[in-house]
Amino acid sequence: MTTVTPLWEFVDISKAYPGVLANDKVNIKLLPGSIHGLLGENGCGKSTMIKTLSGVQQPDSGQIKHNGQPVLIADPQVARNFGIATVFQEFSIVPTLSVGENIFLGNMPQSRFGVINWAKVRNDAARVLAEMDVDVSPDVITGTLSVGEQQLVEIAKAIAMDARMIILDEPTAALGEDEIDRLHQLLRNMRSRGTAILYVSHRLDEVERIVDEVTILRNGSVVRASGETKIDVSEIISAMVGGDIGEHYPKEQNTTENVVLEAKGLATKSGVSDASLTLHQGEVLGLGGVLGSGRTEIARALFGTDELTAGQITLKGNPVKFCREIDAIHAGLALVPENRKYDGLFFNFRAGGNITAASLGGLSRFGIMNLKVEEQATRDLIHDLEISSQAEEKTVNFLSGGNQQKIVIARWLFSDSDILILDEPTQGIDIGAKVAVYKLINKLTRAGKSIILISSDHDELLAMSDRIAIVQHGAIVRTVNAAELTHSDLVRASGETSHIKPQEVLA
Amino acid sequence: MKRIFDAQLIGPFAAMLIVAVIVALTTERFLNPGNLSNLSLQVSIVALIAIGSTIVIFAAGIDLSSGSMIALLTMILAQMLKFMGLPLALAVPLILVVGGLLGLFIGLITAYGRIPSFITTLAGLIAFRGLALTFNNGSPIFSLDPALEPIFYGKVVGIPLPFFYLVFFYAIAAFAMNYTKLGREIYAVGGNPAAAVLTGINVRKVQTTTFVIAGFMTAVGAVLMSARLNSGSPNYGQTLELQAIAAAVVGGASLAGGRGNILATLMGAMTIVIVQNGLNLNAAPSSVQNIVLGLIILLAVGIDMWRAEISGLMGRLFGRSSSDTKKGS
Ligand SMILES: Nc1ncnc2c1ncn2[C@@H]1O[C@H](COP(=O)(O)OP(=O)(O)OP(=O)(O)O)[C@@H](O)[C@H]1O
Ligand SMILES: [Mg+2]
C-alpha cells in the first residue's frame, strides 16, 4: 500500500484563523483508487484541510505534494486544472441559474468564438444527472429544488468535471438513505477507475460502508493516520472524541396518555395532501419518509407557515387556527428548521440574540428589553447544553455546527414551548453533539414536552421515536410503534415509490 | 453603556481622528473655535438624516428618497408658514408627522407590496422632487418666519443648538437599537429575514417601521434646512441621500443588513464633513471634493472587506507567533 505514490499529499500543513489554530501540522496521503474518510468532531479542521487542497486559501506553513512533487495551489482554478473537484460543505451553487448552468459553471462548453454551446450544456448535464440516477431536468432553476436535490446538483458539478481527485465535504448531510446509496455506488465506480476520493461525513454508519481508509482529526491535529484505526464505528468514535461517549442512542420512554396535539386531514398548497396525527405529552413522534415526501411541509403546516387548505389542528382538545408563526409560538409550538443556516440562525448575533429571538415580547416591558435576564439565561443555557463558551462573545458564524444546532434548540427552551418540531436536528453535527441532542430530547420529554422528530437517519429515527408516522407524497399513510419496526421495514415502508438500481452507472 | 460603545466604534473613530489630524496639519484655520462650531452646523443635517438611512440599512433596506423628501418637506413647511399662516409651533410638529407619513407610505409599498426598497425609494427620489415643484409654481419661498432661524442658529451656553439635536437624537437612536425590542427586531430582520419569520417576528411591520423612522428624521432635517436658509426650495437636499448613506457606510454599517453601530454613523458623517471642510479651507474646487468623497467611501468599505487580510498581514509583519492563537475550539 505504501508503495503507491500518493496522488496528493499534505506534509505538515498548518493553518490558523484569528484565534484558532485550525490545522496543526497535518499529514495525509490520498491514493488513487481509494476512498479516504476524513473524520472528526465539529470544528476539528476537516473543512480547513479541504479548503487548502482546493486552493480556496493558502496554508501558513507546510507543503502540498502532487505525485511526489511540491506544488502551489494558488487559487481554485489551479486546483481545477490539477483535476481536483470539490463539493464544499457550504453550497456553492447559484440558485437563480438552471441546473445545467450550475453543473458547468466556470467550465462552460464553448464554441470557437467563445459562444456558449447551450445544446452541449443541456445534453452533458442530462447525461451526468442520468448517470447519477437523479430525476431532475437540466433546465430547472436550481433554487426551486429541495435542499437534497440541490445537494445532488452540487455533486453532479464535481462529477461532470471527470476529475482525478474528488473531495466531498459532508455530501450526505441533506440526503436520504436512497440518495446516499446511489451516491455510494457512483463513488465505487469512480474508485474502480482510479479516482482518489476524500470523503467527510458525520454519519459514521455510512462512512463505515464506503471508505477504504480513515484519517481522524482532533483539535486541528491528526490523531489517527490512515491505517491506524479499524474502520469500525465504535473505534472511530473513541478516536474522534478521545474517550467513550456512552450509549449512542440514550432513549428514555416518557410518553403518557394525554393527547396534546391532534391534526386531522391537513392539506396545503405546498404538497401536504392528507396528514393526520396525534401527539401525546412526553412523546417523541417520528416522521419517516424519503427525501421530498413532504415531512418538512407537514411541519410548516403545523407551525402556521403554510396556509391550510383543509384539515383541523386541535391543541389539548381546543381547535386552533394559526394564521402566522407567532400564533403557533404563542400556543406553545416551536420549529427547529431543517436548514439552520438558511432560516434557523441569525449570523449577525451572538448566542444571546439567537436564543431570545422568539421571546422578545416576554423579555420586554414597554418595548424595553431586560438585557440582564437575557444575559443570565444565555449563560445558563450555554452551561446546561454544554455549548462552547465562545458563543457568549462571538457571533454564531464562528461556532461549529453542533454548537449552532444547540443554540437553535436553546431558543425554544428559553421560550418554554410545549411542542417542539425538530426537522433534521442532527444534520451535519458530530457524534458527541448528536448524543447531546438526544439527551436534550430526553430532558424535554421528561419535563412533559412533546416532540415531533423528522430525520433521514433511519437508525436515529427508530431509536429515538416512540411512534413513527410514515409519510408518502404529503400524506401520513400509517403510524406504528417504533419498537415494532426494523430498519428495513422503515426503508420499505417509506420508500415504496423509490427505486434502487444497482447498475453500473459510470461504466 | 458597554453595549453602545463597542468595538465597532474603534475603526470609524480612528478614521475620524486621522482625518481631523491631517486636515489640522494642512491648515491652522481648522481648529479655530469658529470653524469647529461651523463644523457642527454643517454636519448636523446630514447626520440627523443618516440616523434614518442607517436604521433602514440595518434592516437590509436602502433609502434613496431622503434628499428629495427634504425638498418636498421644506416646500410644505414654507407653504404652511407663509401662505396658510400657521404658527411655527404647529407647523413644525405637523411637518414631522408628514415626514413620518411619507415614510410609512414608502414602507408599506416596500414591505407589503414586496418591491425592493432600492426601487421604491428611487421612485420616491424622483417623485418627491417633482411634488416639491408643484408648490408655488416651482419657485422657492423665502423669508418664512423670523422665529424659524433661531432653531438652527440659536445657541445655549455658547454651543450651537444643532449640537444638542445631534446628542438628543443619537442618544435615543443608540438606546433604541441596543436596548429595545424594536432595535433587536430590526437587526434580526436585517440579519436573516427567513429566520425572523420563523421566530414570530413581524418582518413586514419592522421593515415598514424603519422607513417611518427614516421619514421622521428626514423631516427633522427639513426643519433645520428651512431654518438655516429661512426658506423652502424644490432644489434643496440634492445628493443628501447619498451623503447620508455614505456616512452609514463609512461608519461601518453593512449594506447586507444586520450589522453596524448607529453611533458609528455619526462618526462617518463627521469624517466626511471634516474632509469637505478641509478641502474648503484649502480652497479646493468642488470637483475635487466629490472625487475625494468617492474615494473615502471606497476606502471605508475596502478596509471593512479586507479586514481579515489586513490583520493577517499585520500579524505577519509584526511576527505574531502561533502560540498567540488558541488551539482548536
Ligand atoms: N473563516 C474562518 N475564520 C475564523 N475561524 C474559522 C474560519 N473557518 C473555520 N474557523 C474555525 O476553524 C476551526 C476548524 O473549522 P473547520 O470548518 O475546518 O471544522 P470542521 O472540521 O470542518 O467542522 P464541521 O464538522 O462542523 O464542518 C473551527 O474552530 C472554526 O471555528
Ligand atoms: Mg466542515
Side-chain angles (χ1 to χ4, degrees), chain A residues 46-47 89 169-170 200:
Chain A
K46 303 181 293 293
S47 298
Q89 187 172 13
D169 195 352
E170 286 190 50
V200 175

Side-chain angles (χ1 to χ4, degrees), chain A residues 15-23 38-51 57 89-90 169-170 200-202 217 219-220 340-341 390 394 396-404 428-430, chain B residues 308 326-329:
Chain A
K15 173 78 192 173
Y17 294 117
V20 195
L21 188 53
N23 278 168
L38 181 59
L39 307 175
E41 297 184 276
N42 290 118
C44 69
K46 303 181 293 293
S47 298
T48 305
M49 283 178 72
I50 285 171
K51 284 181 202 152
Q57 62 191 17
Q89 187 172 13
E90 319 295 335
D169 195 352
E170 286 190 50
V200 175
S201 172
H202 286 294
L217 291 178
N219 283 344
R340 60 179 169 269
K341 297 219 160 82
Q390 290 190 3
K394 290 191 177 175
V396 294
N397 52 319
F398 291 110
L399 301 181
S400 71
N403 284 312
Q404 291 179 349
I429 66 179
D430 67 46
Chain B
K326 241 191 311 162
K327 233 189 134 191
S329 65

Side-chain angles (χ1 to χ4, degrees), chain A residues 93 324 485 505:
Chain A
I93 51 168
R324 274 206 236 105
L485 220 56
V505 263

Side-chain angles (χ1 to χ4, degrees), chain B residues 46 63-64 66-67 239-247 272 293 297:
Chain B
V46 63
D63 182 9
L64 298 174
S66 52
T239 74
L240 205 55
E241 69 282 341
L242 298 182
Q243 293 182 40
I245 293 169
I272 291 171
L293 181 57
I297 295 175

